[in-house]
Amino acid sequence: MENPNDPTLRSWVDIPSDSDFSLQNLPFGICKIRRQGKRAVSAIGQYIIDLAALHELRYFDDLNLPQGIFEHGSLNPFIELGPTAWRAVRKRLSDLLRADKSGALRNYPDSQAQVLLPMQDVEMRMPVKVRDYTDFYASEQHATNVGTMFRGADNALPPNWKHMPIGYHGRASSIVISGTPIRRPHGQLKPTEGSPVLGSTRRLDFELELAAVMGVPNPLGKAVPADRAWDHVFGFLLFNDWSARDIQQWEYVPLGPFLGKNFASSVSPWIVTADALNPFRVPGPIQDPPVLPYLETREAYALDITLEVSLEIPSRVPVTVSRTNSRYLYWSIAQQIAHHTIGGCNLNIGDLLASGTISGPDPSSYGSMLELAWRGERPILMPDGSTRSFILDGDTVVMRGHAQRDGVRVGFGEVRNEVLE
């Protein structure tokens, strides 16, 4: 079978050179199309691909897909069909959009008009129904930076950090799609002196992350081996794990994050499949000391994805405040899944496993304002002469990510959210 990741493949659709949505990508999402409700879609160039329309036009007839599978409000029913179905649909899309295929969709203008719609004409929605969400702490640079701030350089990493992927169970109900306004949360704040008070956070922050979308569940009580974990992943999203640092600092001992995290996390609308990201897997950092056998992997599971964060303040041009790469993550998604399930936890379809803040080795590659402005000691200068140590009302945080190799770009689009009072 021909490989849809082949970098030599070209599409008859006009795709801008800087587009995230190449023929080799073909991500999945959910959108609202006028008078038709929510539909499953893919993307190429500046167009969405209406999968429900393709199904109605019988382009998937030989794939034995259930009737109406692309007419749900989330991708969960499609994901439930399993990897064979995901790959068959992605391969069929590739064939329909290839310039060298005689049966390509370009030969049928009437079908094109029903299937290819300009992106600006649709409204993207949450791609999956998330029942459970886990946030990890997988970047050594981030963990070291935060530990240095609060415990000193000699005691930056907890003693368990290099032995297992640290994580906590987050709040799934407050995960929202790109474009959703983020309301500044309230909680208890502890002044330097005196008793705690109730107020809105003064230290609202973003956290630049990737999140894996689980596609193949494991039964309760059955662990997933590290070298089989990749096969359980449907794909990946950009993930902004919003944080209220001052609320978090006062509440997190002894049980960890609560109100400082549960008010919102936001995701990009497009899920880039694990298959599309296979060409961008690379070796991760050397792990020293050696990990326990259940965390050992024979293959490379780090991802070479360029990531950036821009800050848009009212009426001013965006400022890129961070550029980094997910290959810096110390713990891979395969190890995170292996550790998550080693005690018998069952991961379900649509569950999200977020990487934790992704920070690189130099200050320009840090993945949060806490680090970039170093706890407020090094404020970032904005175009209007103001500074930012944390996010203010009216600011918009924009995260983008893409992988590129052999002239092929595979990207996520963006996750964009404005902060409101």
Side-chain angles (χ1 to χ4, degrees), residues 186-203:
H186 287 66
Q188 286 196 20
L189 310 173
K190 181 64 171 69
T192 303
E193 297 180 2
S195 300
V197 297
L198 177 65
S200 60
T201 179
R202 302 183 186 98
R203 296 191 168 193

Side-chain angles (χ1 to χ4, degrees), residues 275-355:
D275 283 346
L277 290 171
N278 262 326
F280 306 101
R281 283 166 48 179
V282 294
I286 295 173
Q287 295 183 321
D288 184 28
V291 298
L292 291 175
Y294 80 98
L295 292 171
E296 291 178 352
T297 56
R298 294 182 297 275
E299 297 183 33
Y301 294 107
L303 290 168
D304 184 10
I305 299 172
T306 299
L307 301 162
E308 70 172 39
V309 184
S310 296
L311 190 58
E312 297 181 3
I313 65 175
S315 303
R316 297 288 174 172
V317 296
V319 176
T320 300
V321 295
S322 174
R323 287 190 176 93
T324 189
N325 194 295
S326 58
R327 69 186 304 163
Y328 296 131
L329 287 169
Y330 189 88
W331 295 105
S332 70
I333 183 59
Q335 292 173 314
Q336 291 168 28
I337 293 171
H339 184 64
H340 203 312
T341 61
I342 193 63
C345 177
N346 54 321
L347 297 175
N348 294 302
I349 290 168
D351 285 359
L352 295 188
L353 271 60
S355 62

Side-chain angles (χ1 to χ4, degrees), residues 358-381:
I358 302 171
S359 292
D362 62 84
S364 66
S365 64
Y366 295 163
S368 67
M369 289 295 287
L370 179 67
E371 298 165 271
L372 291 163
W374 203 256
R375 208 177 178 185
E377 297 171 12
R378 307 167 192 167
I380 298 173
L381 182 65

Side-chain angles (χ1 to χ4, degrees), residues 131-151:
R131 197 172 88 183
D132 282 309
Y133 144 58
T134 301
D135 190 32
F136 283 93
Y137 195 42
S139 164
E140 182 178 4
Q141 289 84 0
H142 173 68
T144 299
N145 289 340
V146 174
T148 299
M149 290 179 204
F150 294 101
R151 293 187 299 274

Side-chain angles (χ1 to χ4, degrees), residues 182 184 311-315 388 391-397 417-421:
I182 304 300
R184 183 172 295 273
L311 190 58
E312 297 181 3
I313 65 175
S315 303
R388 293 292 187 278
I391 307 303
L392 302 184
D393 294 344
D395 292 347
T396 297
V397 177
N417 304 90
E418 181 183 3
V419 172
L420 302 180
E421 183 179 358

Side-chain angles (χ1 to χ4, degrees), residues 18-344:
D18 61 349
S19 172
D20 283 346
F21 306 118
S22 61
L23 181 64
Q24 289 77 8
N25 189 350
L26 301 175
F28 291 95
I30 294 288
C31 80
K32 175 76 164 54
I33 299 177
R34 290 188 300 271
R35 298 187 302 275
Q36 293 177 315
K38 295 180 181 178
R39 321 262 282 187
V41 292
S42 186
I44 187 162
Q46 298 170 307
Y47 298 92
I48 67 107
I49 308 164
D50 186 343
L51 300 180
L54 277 174
H55 201 189
E56 291 163 5
L57 292 168
R58 309 191 67 173
Y59 283 96
F60 297 140
D61 268 10
D62 59 325
L63 302 186
N64 298 315
L65 301 174
Q67 190 67 30
I69 190 64
F70 299 118
E71 298 175 43
H72 296 275
S74 77
L75 289 169
N76 294 50
F78 171 63
I79 297 173
E80 190 174 357
L81 298 180
T84 299
W86 316 336
R87 289 167 183 152
V89 169
R90 182 166 170 262
K91 175 65 166 58
R92 178 59 46 83
L93 291 176
S94 177
D95 290 346
L96 291 172
L97 296 164
R98 279 173 55 175
D100 62 337
K101 284 284 186 177
S102 58
L105 196 61
R106 70 173 173 182
N107 299 320
Y108 304 95
D110 290 344
S111 293
Q112 286 180 45
Q114 297 179 61
V115 170
L116 294 179
L117 304 175
M119 282 191 176
Q120 66 267 22
D121 291 350
V122 302
E123 181 182 348
M124 299 304 296
R125 298 295 180 88
M126 274 291 294
V128 290
K129 182 175 176 58
V130 182
R131 197 172 88 183
D132 282 309
Y133 144 58
T134 301
D135 190 32
F136 283 93
Y137 195 42
S139 164
E140 182 178 4
Q141 289 84 0
H142 173 68
T144 299
N145 289 340
V146 174
T148 299
M149 290 179 204
F150 294 101
R151 293 187 299 274
D154 293 337
N155 195 32
L157 291 179
N160 60 356
W161 198 91
K162 287 198 169 183
H163 293 276
M164 60 179 173
I166 304 299
Y168 74 94
H169 294 291
R171 183 70 185 177
S173 66
S174 54
I175 298 175
V176 297
I177 192 68
S178 173
T180 305
I182 304 300
R183 296 284 177 178
R184 183 172 295 273
H186 287 66
Q188 286 196 20
L189 310 173
K190 181 64 171 69
T192 303
E193 297 180 2
S195 300
V197 297
L198 177 65
S200 60
T201 179
R202 302 183 186 98
R203 296 191 168 193
L204 183 61
D205 201 357
F206 62 78
E207 293 192 5
L208 172 60
E209 307 190 18
L210 285 177
V213 181
M214 299 309 300
V216 177
N218 63 295
L220 183 67
K222 185 172 182 180
V224 177
D227 268 324
R228 289 174 52 193
W230 184 264
D231 297 331
H232 287 252
V233 178
F234 175 65
F236 292 82
L237 295 157
L238 293 178
F239 193 88
N240 185 348
D241 184 26
W242 293 89
S243 298
R245 300 296 186 185
D246 40 7
I247 296 173
Q248 181 182 2
Q249 184 176 354
W250 172 233
E251 74 180 0
Y252 82 99
V253 177
L255 294 182
F258 189 28
L259 301 189
K261 293 281 193 177
N262 72 359
F263 61 96
S265 299
S266 51
V267 299
S268 53
W270 295 106
I271 302 177
V272 178
T273 64
D275 283 346
L277 290 171
N278 262 326
F280 306 101
R281 283 166 48 179
V282 294
I286 295 173
Q287 295 183 321
D288 184 28
V291 298
L292 291 175
Y294 80 98
L295 292 171
E296 291 178 352
T297 56
R298 294 182 297 275
E299 297 183 33
Y301 294 107
L303 290 168
D304 184 10
I305 299 172
T306 299
L307 301 162
E308 70 172 39
V309 184
S310 296
L311 190 58
E312 297 181 3
I313 65 175
S315 303
R316 297 288 174 172
V317 296
V319 176
T320 300
V321 295
S322 174
R323 287 190 176 93
T324 189
N325 194 295
S326 58
R327 69 186 304 163
Y328 296 131
L329 287 169
Y330 189 88
W331 295 105
S332 70
I333 183 59
Q335 292 173 314
Q336 291 168 28
I337 293 171
H339 184 64
H340 203 312
T341 61
I342 193 63

